[in-house]
Amino acid sequence: MSRDTHGLTIHTHTASEAGLLVNSYLVETGEGVVVVDTNLLNSEIAALVAKVDALGKPLLGVFVTHAHPDHFNGVHALIDGRDVPVYATEAVDRVIRDISDAKRAQWGPVYGDEWPAVTAFPTVQLKDGDPVTLDGVRYTARDLGPAESHADSVFLARAANAEQDVAFIGDLAFHGTHPYTADGHGAQWLGVLDTLATELADAAVLLPGHGAPTGVEVLAAQRDYLLCYRAEVARLADGQASLTDEAKEELDRVMREYAPDAPLSWMIALGADAVAAELAAS
C-alpha cells in the first residue's frame, strides 16, 4: 500500500498474521528511502528489502520506534552491505541490546529458520526532541518511556513546507487488533496515551505498528481497551499475581466479545499474568 500525505510518499509493508501483521513504513523522497520499523520474520524481512530495492533509490536511514523484535529484527538485513544510520532513542537502543539474546532464545525455537540469526543495533541514539533531517524531511524523536514495551517512542515526520506532522506511533496504539500487554507497564501506557492525545491532536495522520493509518481517535480506543482488559484481569485475579487457566479462558471470552473481529487474539492470554502482577503490586 502507498499513500501521499502532506508532501510525503509512504509505502507500507504489512506482514502476514504469522508475522503479527506488523507494519514497516517506507518514506520515499526524491533522493532516497527511509524505513520506519523492520518486521519480524526472515521471509517478511526479505520482502521488505525487496520493496526498498525496487524503489531504485538509496536507503538513507532506518528508525526503530520501540524495543520489540517485530520492529527491530529486520535491521541487519536492511543495512547489510550499506552504510546506513539506524536511529532510535537512547532508551530503545539500551533495551534492544538488553533483550535481543533472550528474545532469540525464547522465540528462535518457535520460528526456526524464520528468526534472524543476527541482530543489528541502532547506531545513532537520540534524546527526546532530537531532530534528524534526511532529504528535506525532518524526523523528531519523542521519547515516551515504558508503555506498551519497556521503551517506547514516536517519530514525527514533516516534509519541507508542510504544516502538519505524520506520526509514526509504533505500538502505542494497535488499530483493529488485540494488543500485546505482556511487558507489564499498563499504568504508564495509559498515561502516555493521555499525553499523546493532546500532543498529536493536530497530526495529519497516525501510522500505527499494527493496523491501518488512522487519526488521533485510535489513542482513545486503545485506552478504552486497556481499561476493560485491566478491569477483567483485576476481577479474575482477585488480588493474585497470576490467573488460573480457567480465568484466562474467561478473559479470552470477554475480550473476544469486546473486539469480535480483531486478529491476534492469542495475545489476550499472553499478557494476563504480567498485568495481574502489575495490578497486584500497585
Side-chain angles (χ1 to χ4, degrees):
M1 183 185 76
S2 302
R3 61 182 292 134
D4 293 319
T5 181
H6 289 262
L8 298 177
T9 299
I10 302 174
H11 312 275
T12 306
H13 174 70
T14 301
S16 64
E17 188 158 358
L20 307 186
L21 302 172
V22 63
N23 294 322
S24 296
Y25 295 104
L26 292 70
V27 182
E28 181 184 5
T29 55
E31 299 300 323
V33 183
V34 167
V35 172
V36 182
D37 289 333
T38 69
N39 252 265
L40 179 72
L41 304 178
N42 279 326
S43 56
E44 300 288 359
I45 294 164
L48 172 62
V49 172
K51 285 186 177 181
V52 172
D53 291 342
L55 293 175
K57 297 177 180 179
L59 182 62
L60 303 178
V62 177
F63 290 85
V64 180
T65 60
H66 67 288
H68 278 158
D70 52 329
H71 297 260
F72 67 72
N73 262 7
V75 170
H76 179 264
L78 274 170
I79 68 170
D80 191 28
R82 317 185 208 223
D83 184 16
V84 177
V86 180
Y87 301 94
T89 63
E90 293 174 341
V92 169
D93 172 63
R94 181 174 61 253
V95 174
I96 291 173
R97 293 173 190 273
D98 287 346
I99 70 169
S100 60
D101 287 345
K103 291 294 185 182
R104 180 173 291 105
Q106 178 183 10
W107 294 108
V110 175
Y111 288 104
D113 291 343
E114 278 278 44
W115 194 266
V118 179
T119 299
F121 300 109
T123 60
V124 181
Q125 294 77 35
L126 303 173
K127 298 181 184 299
D128 185 38
D130 279 354
V132 175
T133 300
L134 299 172
D135 195 23
V137 180
R138 185 184 69 205
Y139 300 85
T140 303
R142 184 72 175 87
D143 181 357
L144 293 157
E148 188 265 349
S149 74
H150 297 315
D152 288 279
S153 68
V154 165
F155 287 103
L156 306 174
R158 185 175 297 202
N161 302 318
E163 296 183 354
Q164 290 176 283
D165 292 321
V166 172
F168 297 94
I169 63 170
D171 287 359
L172 288 166
F174 288 67
H175 187 201
T177 76
H178 290 283
Y180 179 86
T181 57
D183 279 355
H185 304 292
Q188 294 99 314
W189 190 356
L190 289 167
V192 166
L193 289 168
D194 290 342
T195 297
L196 289 179
T198 299
E199 292 188 2
L200 301 183
D202 295 326
V205 64
L206 276 61
L207 299 178
H210 304 262
T214 185
V216 72
E217 64 275 4
V218 75
L219 304 172
Q222 183 65 84
R223 190 178 194 280
D224 289 345
Y225 182 106
L226 291 175
L227 289 173
C228 177
Y229 185 95
R230 289 165 66 81
E232 287 301 314
V233 170
R235 177 179 69 84
L236 293 164
D238 193 24
Q240 300 302 304
S242 63
L243 270 65
T244 65
D245 290 343
E246 292 79 8
K248 288 177 182 177
E249 290 176 2
E250 172 67 5
L251 176 67
D252 184 82
R253 183 191 66 77
V254 170
M255 298 313 299
R256 284 175 184 263
E257 288 182 358
Y258 183 94
D261 299 321
L264 305 182
S265 57
W266 58 272
M267 289 193 181
I268 298 170
L270 181 68
D273 286 346
V275 173
E278 179 198 353
L279 292 171
S282 63

